[in-house]
Amino acid sequence: MNAPAQAGVATVKLLINGKMVESKSTEWRPIVNPATQEVLAQVPFATKAEVDAAMAAAAEAFKTWKNTPIGARIRIMLRLQALIRNNMERVVAVLTAEQGKTLADAQGDVFRGLEVVEHACSIGTLQQGEFSENVAAMVDTYTLRQPIGVCAGITPFNFPAMIPLWMFPMAIVFGNTFVLKPSEQDPLSTMLLVELVLEAGIPPGVLNVVHGGKEVVDAICTHPDIKAISFVGSTAVGTHVYNLGSQHGKRVQSMMSTKNHAVVLPDAHKEQTLNALVGAGFGAAGQRCMATSVSVFVGESRDWLPELVEKAKTPKVNAGTVPGTDVGPVFSKAAKERILGLIEAGVQDGAKLLLDGRGVKVSGYKSGNFIGPTVFAGVKTNMRVYTQEIFSPVLCVLELDTLDEAITLVNANPIGNGVGVFTQSGAAARKFQSEIDVGQVGINIPIPVPVPYFSFTGSRGPKLGDLGPYGKQVV
């Protein structure tokens, strides 16, 4: 709930034209530790004048930044990657406090973003054009890769380091300028990274940061200076961003909700497969866009279900800062209430609740938003636990007789973000890879997230827009 700023509580700054600016907004939102409910800081919902100032700074900076030599841009990225490495522990600590994920998950969050910064250092080859001689009589044709102008990014709460780092480093190293709107729910670790960008020597106005909700999002989608928008988040908001931005002439890509399946064949390596399902289903409290939330047991592999449930009891639920924690709290009280409602809906719809994580107790953190690993069996495709994205440590299990049935089931789901198949058969893996209609396919791995120099994509529901620069992972 938004309210005036509270005295004595730290405030999150805006970044406008190279300076950290205290917002003059009358609307502020608390940033709350999910494990303790402690208010860590308060974030402003930027005013129209502040958003306009950020846009103007980016537009003005583009006039000179676009002509900055490639080598100079690369050296800023080289300094940035070194600064991120040197400040990794500090960023991780803040990320865990505001988002709730374990220290190990938080480190992975930062590291996957760091990989994109490292990839940005290879811009010298990525920005090369093309040339063909004599395409007609004495006519040559060539292409130039040129920056397009002011770009914008709208990022979600679940990866406050990785996803901003997937966006602005590649945009600015190509010669564009950037306006970033981090999640208003946990922007502290994002702003730490922004401070490192300033320390790396980025010129004023090349990167700007505004905070806020729908009004700021709509301003980004409609502002005449914005040429391209990248979004990661819910389907409802992502569809709105895509439609509104496209109507105003922007290039827009939206990565949205997910429902990832793992298909388990009877010849799979049982121990490896079950461990992978537990890690992919419950790690980061299930709040990953590439989490495996549905397991499809084919044929005799359904006999492994009792062992899956026993393994699902082993992850340690606790605050993310506690050593050895496997599952931290879900992000907010509102998220917890929504998840509890969907678990109850699963029971009402007739799914078998084999492991119930609703009553988990965490000593010393009575106010935390904790939900333990939860397993449903007997799930049908018309049940709410299957049709809705739960975004929690809840794993739904379906049982089928054949691989063909499993492929048909996955392809019929409106969301085709990622999928995995577990098998020791090369023929089965090849068939699955060929016939499945999902953006990213893992063979004997549960979360097929590619490295930065490969594409990150999706089929049907989870993605609107193109693949970004040259079809690579950057979003």
Side-chain angles (χ1 to χ4, degrees):
M1 188 172 183
N2 303 333
Q6 292 180 302
V9 180
T11 58
V12 181
K13 307 300 188 288
L14 310 171
L15 175 64
I16 300 176
N17 201 29
K19 297 180 180 179
M20 292 293 185
V21 177
E22 187 77 67
S23 176
K24 296 180 180 179
S25 177
T26 58
E27 293 186 65
W28 296 75
R29 177 177 180 145
I31 302 167
V32 179
N33 184 316
T36 65
Q37 306 308 312
E38 173 193 2
V39 175
L40 303 174
Q42 52 191 343
V43 61
F45 279 39
T47 67
K48 182 180 185 302
E50 290 165 345
V51 174
D52 287 344
M55 304 290 185
E60 183 64 26
F62 179 67
K63 296 175 181 178
T64 53
W65 180 245
K66 66 181 180 181
N67 296 320
T68 301
I70 289 176
R73 289 185 249 140
I74 290 174
R75 284 187 283 276
I76 290 174
M77 289 299 117
L78 288 168
R79 289 193 291 270
L80 177 59
Q81 66 89 19
L83 286 166
I84 292 173
R85 287 185 180 278
N86 293 338
N87 289 273
M88 178 77 75
E89 288 187 10
R90 186 161 66 104
V91 178
V92 164
V94 172
L95 198 160
T96 294
E98 66 173 345
Q99 204 280 339
K101 61 179 63 179
T102 67
L103 291 170
D105 278 331
Q107 186 169 26
D109 189 332
V110 180
F111 184 76
R112 287 309 303 265
L114 175 62
E115 287 184 321
V116 176
V117 178
E118 293 171 340
H119 182 48
C121 296
S122 61
I123 189 64
T125 54
L126 291 176
Q127 201 165 355
Q128 291 176 351
E130 299 169 319
F131 183 91
S132 289
E133 187 178 22
N134 285 328
V135 296
M138 301 303 291
V139 176
D140 304 333
T141 297
Y142 61 92
T143 61
L144 301 176
R145 298 194 187 277
Q146 296 179 326
I148 62 173
V150 182
C151 302
I154 303 167
T155 61
F157 77 87
N158 59 325
F159 283 94
M162 181 184 78
I163 295 179
L165 288 175
W166 277 10
M167 293 184 183
F168 71 76
M170 292 302 295
I172 62 180
V173 81
F174 269 96
N176 302 290
T177 56
F178 205 86
V179 177
L180 173 67
K181 194 209 84 67
S183 170
E184 69 278 11
Q185 301 178 84
D186 55 355
L188 296 176
S189 48
T190 306
M191 294 308 294
L192 269 181
L193 293 168
V194 168
E195 291 177 13
L196 298 181
V197 177
L198 295 177
E199 188 175 345
I202 201 74
V206 173
L207 176 63
N208 303 270
V209 182
V210 292
H211 306 288
K214 185 178 184 300
E215 289 185 2
V216 173
V217 169
D218 287 353
I220 288 172
C221 292
T222 59
H223 199 284
D225 286 337
I226 296 292
K227 304 303 181 185
I229 303 169
S230 190
F231 170 88
V232 177
S234 71
T235 294
V237 179
T239 302
H240 171 75
V241 168
Y242 181 81
N243 290 336
L244 185 61
S246 298
Q247 289 166 9
H248 285 81
K250 322 300 182 191
R251 297 185 187 180
V252 185
Q253 56 177 356
S254 290
M255 298 296 298
M256 300 174 291
S257 298
T258 182
K259 199 74 176 179
N260 302 317
H261 297 68
V263 174
V264 181
L265 300 186
D267 68 340
H269 187 288
K270 181 165 67 173
E271 188 73 12
Q272 173 189 330
T273 300
L274 295 179
N275 286 337
L277 294 180
V278 169
F282 308 125
Q287 298 174 126
R288 295 176 177 141
C289 64
M290 296 306 297
T292 298
S293 56
V294 180
S295 294
V296 183
F297 284 91
V298 176
E300 295 176 357
S301 68
R302 70 187 72 194
D303 296 337
W304 303 355
L305 185 53
E307 293 174 76
L308 172 65
V309 173
E310 288 305 308
K311 283 187 177 292
K313 295 177 182 178
T314 60
K316 180 181 177 181
V317 181
N318 213 320
T321 53
V322 176
T325 297
D326 300 301
V327 179
V330 296
F331 183 66
S332 67
K333 285 194 174 297
K336 181 178 179 180
E337 289 304 313
R338 177 182 173 275
I339 295 162
L340 294 177
L342 282 169
I343 294 174
E344 182 58 32
V347 174
Q348 293 175 2
D349 290 346
K352 301 174 184 177
L353 186 56
L354 301 185
L355 182 61
D356 189 349
R358 291 176 291 181
V360 65
K361 304 294 183 185
V362 177
S363 177
Y365 296 93
K366 293 181 180 180
S367 299
N369 307 322
F370 295 101
I371 295 178
T374 298
V375 179
F376 275 111
V379 174
K380 306 299 181 184
T381 56
N382 62 344
M383 293 179 178
R384 284 168 283 182
V385 291
Y386 182 80
T387 59
Q388 296 188 36
E389 181 184 33
I390 308 178
F391 222 55
S392 69
V394 176
L395 182 63
C396 296
V397 177
L398 290 80
E399 300 174 19
L400 296 173
D401 293 328
T402 67
L403 175 59
D404 285 325
E405 289 177 327
I407 291 172
T408 298
L409 175 124
V410 175
N411 286 346
N413 190 284
I415 300 174
N417 196 4
V419 68
V421 63
F422 290 86
T423 179
Q424 296 186 68
S425 166
R430 180 77 177 184
K431 174 183 173 68
F432 187 87
Q433 175 184 298
S434 175
E435 297 182 12
I436 206 73
D437 179 20
V438 173
Q440 294 157 138
V441 181
I443 309 296
N444 291 318
I445 58 171
I447 307 177
V449 180
V451 291
Y453 33 90
F454 283 84
S455 63
F456 187 102
T457 184
S459 300
R460 304 184 302 282
K463 183 166 182 64
L464 291 170
D466 62 25
L467 289 175
Y470 322 128
K472 302 306 180 185
Q473 175 172 327
V474 180
V475 297

